[in-house]
Amino acid sequence: MNDLKQASQRKGSFIATMKAVFWSFFGVRKRSDYESDASNLNPVHVLIAGVIGAAIFVLVLLLIVKMVVAH
């Protein structure tokens, strides 16, 4: 429980978290960047950024399908 409390108090910015999640969705990440993110990013921010990224991904797919079906 103490580890979770310490992890949630990390000082990684939300913008850096969004950037890390974007690269994770894209599937390209350097090992050194991954290790840096794992030690610096706040896991709560990662969870929120992942949900936002998934929602954006689904919306983009829906827009693409609507455009293709409409023509």
Side-chain angles (χ1 to χ4, degrees):
M1 186 69 142
N2 218 6
D3 292 336
L4 180 61
K5 198 174 200 180
Q6 289 175 344
S8 66
Q9 294 176 351
R10 293 180 186 159
K11 296 291 183 184
S13 71
F14 190 71
I15 299 296
T17 305
M18 286 298 291
K19 193 170 157 183
V21 169
F22 168 76
W23 284 114
S24 297
F25 272 106
F26 190 60
V28 178
R29 199 79 177 132
K30 289 183 187 175
R31 183 164 185 85
S32 61
D33 289 340
Y34 167 76
E35 290 171 356
S36 171
D37 290 342
S39 64
N40 293 329
L41 296 180
N42 185 332
V44 175
H45 290 172
V46 173
L47 184 66
I48 293 169
V51 170
I52 291 170
I56 291 171
F57 180 71
V58 169
L59 289 174
V60 168
L61 286 179
L62 287 173
L63 288 174
I64 291 171
V65 169
K66 281 188 175 190
M67 287 174 46
V68 169
V69 172
H71 287 91

